[in-house]
């Protein structure tokens, strides 16, 4: 063998072996395409915490119960999008949190879980919405959780702590982002902030219209910057919004997305917008199948809203994805699987609402009657007694992210599983590869397998600054 060829080959192999598997599999940084830089606008859609089973079950529910395929899956059927699998890891784990995941999209780097666009040595990476804002585009974020939560924040700010939401609310004001719609009154209201700062006043002085209810959306004027805060904490789950009158004046995600698009679409230099279904993640943490499916379907309606605009506009890159999986729900084999799954259509409320209503003095009969009213599930006495034991202190309280009242989410999901044939592997994030779809100018840049930071690079190549 020629010794020089051998040494050259050895050096090449040695270089390859220093790369991580995700680097070997990632194609985003090597793309060269003559059609790049054609998009005027970007709409980046995130169904937070959406495992593939969530996407599948929402489509199955839509077909079986609503009589139509989901909008996301119809994009695949109609071959309107390019499609990829994505590795979602963070800098310090194969399983990411939303802050690190959003930083991969927003900052183009993998950071440690819990941080927003802050590198290992404290270096700050300029978030992508700031880059586009400085280039003259309008920029906005829409979410069903607090507007200062990790996913919107990852596109906009640098913070060593994702939970620094009062400070993130102030950062947004300094950046003068054009549209901010979601929840989180406690981070803007002086009566609820520890420092008593009136951020609503700060935003008003900067020319923002403050929105608090669905009706306020009718008062918007062209050219105004918008701060819409529609709840303390997150917005209500979609299924509760449908059935509970106290939530009737809360806008749905699709309506918020349309509001943001309409407010920015005429800007001559274009716009960038993030649309997040944040409570898909929260419902997965609670193993709450009705909340999960209905919030995923609400996201799916937002997909239609965005695609209706993008197809007509012709200059908008749309990216539809998730930041990570969560709880990996899925349907379970059995002779009654279809009938059992379809019974979810009888559920009127979230598990959170149902379990919150049970009181210490509820008898076994009271619990059985209430569960039947909420889910059309007939409990046996042992199941009702087991639930009752959580409320009279005989069972250990359940922990879990977003389980603020320590409700028996896991126990109740196991009771439901026996009737609806849906199982869960956990109550937390997973490291599974996830779906990505892209439409519009630049969608040809999406390769079959990518890592999360590649979407940052794709946006910059498709929509030049």
């Amino acid at each position: 063998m020629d010794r020089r060829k051998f040494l050259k080959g050895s050096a090449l192999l040695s270089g390859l072996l220093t790369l991580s598997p995700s680097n070997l599999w990632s194609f985003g940084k090597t793309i060269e395409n003559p059609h790049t830089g054609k998009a005027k606008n970007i709409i980046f859609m995130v169904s937070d915490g959406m495992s593939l089973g969530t996407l599948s079950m929402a489509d199955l529910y839509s077909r079986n119960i609503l009589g139509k395929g989901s909008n996301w899956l119809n994009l695949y059927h109609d071959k309107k999008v390019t499609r990829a699998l994505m590795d979602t890891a963070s800098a310090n784990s194969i399983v990411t949190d939303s802050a690190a995941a959003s930083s991969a999209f927003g900052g183009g780097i993998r950071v440690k879980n819990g941080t927003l666009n802050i590198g290992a040595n404290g270096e700050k990476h300029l978030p992508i919405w700031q880059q586009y804002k400085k280039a003259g585009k309008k920029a906005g974020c829409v979410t069903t959780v607090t507007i200062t939560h990790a996913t919107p924040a990852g596109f906009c700010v640098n913070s060593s702590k994702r939970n620094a939401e009062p400070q993130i609310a102030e950062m947004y004001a300094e950046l003068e982002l054009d549209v901010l719609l979601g929840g989180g009154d406690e981070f803007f209201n002086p009566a609820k902030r520890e420092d008593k700062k009136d951020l609503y006043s700060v935003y008003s002085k900067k020319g923002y219209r403050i929105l608090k209810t669905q009706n306020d959306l009718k008062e918007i004027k062209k050219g105004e910057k918008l701060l819409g805060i529609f709840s303390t904490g997150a917005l209500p789950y979609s299924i509760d919004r449908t059935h509970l009158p106290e939530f009737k004046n809360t806008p749905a995600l699709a309506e918020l997305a349309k509001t943001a698009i309409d407010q920015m679409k005429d800007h001559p230099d274009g716009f960038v917008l993030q649309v997040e279904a944040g409570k898909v993640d929260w419902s997965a943490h609670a193993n709450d199948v009705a909340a999960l499916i209905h919030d995923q379907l609400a996201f799916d309606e937002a997909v239609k809203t965005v695609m209706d605009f993008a197809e007509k506009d012709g200059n908008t890159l749309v990216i539809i994805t998730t930041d990570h999986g969560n709880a990996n729900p899925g349907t379970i084999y059995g002779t009654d699987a279809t009938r059992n799954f379809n019974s979810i259509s009888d559920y009127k409320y979230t598990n959170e609402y149902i379990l919150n209503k049970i009181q210490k003095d509820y008898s076994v009969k009271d619990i059985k009657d209430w569960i039947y009213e909420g889910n059309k599930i007939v409990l046996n006495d042992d199941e009702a007694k087991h639930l009752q034991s959580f409320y009279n202190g005989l069972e250990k309280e359940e922990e879990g992210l977003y389980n603020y009242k320590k409700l028996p989410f896991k126990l109740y999901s196991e009771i439901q599983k026996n009737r609806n044939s849906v199982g869960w592997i956990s109550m937390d994030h997973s490291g599974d590869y996830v779906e990505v779809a892209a439409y519009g100018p630049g969608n040809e840049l999406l390769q079959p397998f990518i890592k999360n930071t590649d979407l940052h690079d794709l946006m910059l190549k498709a929509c030049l600054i």
Side-chain angles (χ1 to χ4, degrees):
M1 174 183 275
D2 186 314
R3 184 170 180 270
R4 284 174 296 178
K5 288 182 179 179
F6 174 78
L7 290 173
K8 183 178 180 181
S10 298
L12 176 61
L13 179 61
S14 175
L16 286 173
L17 290 176
T18 64
L19 298 174
S20 71
S22 59
N23 284 328
L24 286 170
W25 296 333
S26 176
F27 304 102
K29 296 183 183 302
T30 61
I31 294 171
E32 295 296 336
N33 191 296
H35 303 294
T36 58
K38 298 294 186 181
K40 181 180 179 182
N41 313 311
I42 299 173
I43 303 177
F44 195 107
M45 304 190 72
V46 181
S47 179
D48 197 299
M50 187 202 75
S51 296
L52 181 57
T54 301
L55 181 64
S56 303
M57 290 194 301
D59 182 70
L60 184 62
Y61 186 97
S62 187
R63 286 190 284 113
N64 286 10
I65 306 303
L66 306 179
K68 59 180 182 177
S70 64
N71 295 302
W72 187 336
L73 271 293
N74 284 344
L75 295 175
Y76 293 169
H77 289 304
D78 297 338
K79 298 179 174 61
K80 288 186 176 181
V81 294
T82 52
R83 180 185 178 192
L85 280 178
M86 180 170 66
D87 171 3
T88 63
S90 69
N92 64 330
S93 178
I94 59 172
V95 183
T96 190
D97 79 333
S98 291
S102 189
S103 297
F105 303 144
I109 54 153
R110 285 182 163 175
V111 300
K112 292 181 179 180
N113 290 342
T115 62
L116 293 163
N117 298 307
I118 302 289
N121 299 311
E123 66 275 17
K124 295 182 178 181
H125 295 261
L126 187 64
I128 195 166
W129 269 200
Q130 285 194 45
Q131 295 184 50
Y132 282 118
K133 181 76 174 165
K134 289 178 179 179
K137 294 185 183 296
K138 289 194 172 184
C141 292
V142 171
T143 183
T144 55
V145 293
T146 55
I147 193 61
T148 47
H149 215 257
T151 301
F155 278 62
C156 303
V157 303
N158 304 92
S159 176
S160 60
K161 295 181 180 179
R162 60 172 286 176
N163 294 329
E165 294 189 68
Q167 292 73 38
I168 291 169
E170 295 184 64
M171 293 178 196
Y172 285 169
E174 293 171 7
L175 295 172
E176 296 197 31
L177 298 166
D178 298 276
V179 177
L180 296 165
L181 305 175
D185 178 66
E186 64 269 38
F187 305 121
F188 298 85
N189 189 331
K192 298 176 183 178
R193 285 179 59 105
E194 287 187 12
D195 59 13
K196 304 303 179 185
K197 288 183 180 179
D198 184 354
L199 287 203
Y200 287 125
S201 177
V202 170
Y203 278 82
S204 292
K205 290 176 182 177
K206 288 178 175 287
Y208 284 81
R209 177 177 285 272
I210 309 301
L211 312 170
K212 294 292 186 70
T213 69
Q214 187 178 39
N215 291 333
D216 291 342
L217 299 178
K218 301 172 185 176
E219 307 299 322
I220 295 169
K221 296 177 182 178
K222 280 289 184 183
E224 290 179 313
K225 295 192 292 286
L226 302 180
L227 175 66
I229 304 298
F230 303 99
S231 63
T232 297
L235 272 60
Y237 285 105
S238 294
I239 189 171
D240 288 342
R241 179 181 173 274
T242 300
H243 290 108
L244 297 173
E246 60 262 38
F247 299 137
K248 291 292 187 184
N249 203 17
T250 305
L253 183 61
E255 188 175 6
L256 295 179
K258 186 178 187 303
T259 297
I261 292 168
D262 288 347
Q263 198 66 2
M264 298 191 291
K265 67 183 180 182
D266 296 327
H267 186 57
D269 293 323
F271 70 89
V272 291
L273 172 67
Q274 184 200 67
V275 178
E276 183 205 17
K279 295 198 80 171
V280 171
D281 182 65
W282 291 30
S283 53
H285 279 298
N287 285 186
D288 188 336
V289 68
L292 183 82
I293 289 174
H294 285 275
D295 264 63
Q296 181 63 32
L297 288 174
F299 177 78
D300 199 63
E301 286 303 306
V303 168
K304 182 181 186 304
T305 297
V306 167
M307 288 300 300
D308 285 349
F309 166 76
E311 289 187 272
K312 183 178 179 181
D313 175 69
N315 298 306
T316 300
L317 169 65
V318 179
I319 296 171
I320 310 168
T321 189
T322 181
D323 50 353
H324 52 75
N326 189 343
N328 289 26
T331 48
I332 302 167
Y333 179 78
T335 55
D336 295 324
T338 302
R339 185 185 67 185
N340 289 349
F341 179 81
N342 290 347
S343 73
I344 297 168
S345 63
D346 292 327
Y347 295 9
K348 289 172 60 178
Y349 311 117
T350 59
N351 293 354
E352 180 179 73
Y353 181 78
I354 288 171
L355 296 175
N356 259 322
K357 282 288 185 179
I358 298 174
Q359 303 297 317
K360 284 185 178 182
D361 60 354
Y362 269 36
S363 67
V364 167
K365 183 180 183 302
D366 291 334
I367 291 173
K368 292 172 72 172
D369 289 346
W370 171 232
I371 295 300
Y372 184 78
E373 180 181 338
N375 282 168
K376 292 293 187 290
I377 288 175
V378 178
L379 296 185
N380 60 46
D381 286 350
D382 286 342
E383 290 170 326
K385 288 175 181 176
H386 198 173
L387 271 175
Q388 186 186 48
S389 68
F390 274 86
Y391 294 88
N392 58 27
L394 297 178
E395 288 275 358
K396 183 180 178 182
E397 293 179 328
E398 285 190 16
E399 302 294 333
L401 199 60
Y402 309 122
N403 187 2
Y404 303 116
K405 295 186 179 180
K406 302 185 186 304
L407 298 169
F409 286 143
K410 185 64 178 174
L411 169 62
Y412 191 53
S413 73
E414 289 293 323
I415 290 172
Q416 289 177 316
K417 181 178 74 172
N418 296 328
R419 276 83 169 180
N420 61 31
S421 295
V422 173
W424 311 76
I425 69 160
S426 75
M427 302 184 83
D428 217 332
H429 295 182
S430 60
D432 300 65
Y433 302 144
V434 300
E435 287 281 331
V436 184
Y439 171 87
N443 79 320
E444 71 280 358
L445 299 174
L446 185 65
Q447 298 295 298
F449 191 93
I450 62 171
K451 61 180 181 179
N452 43 15
T453 52
D454 291 334
L455 290 182
H456 176 94
D457 300 332
L458 188 154
M459 285 188 281
L460 291 177
K461 287 172 181 170
C463 187
L464 296 179
I465 293 178

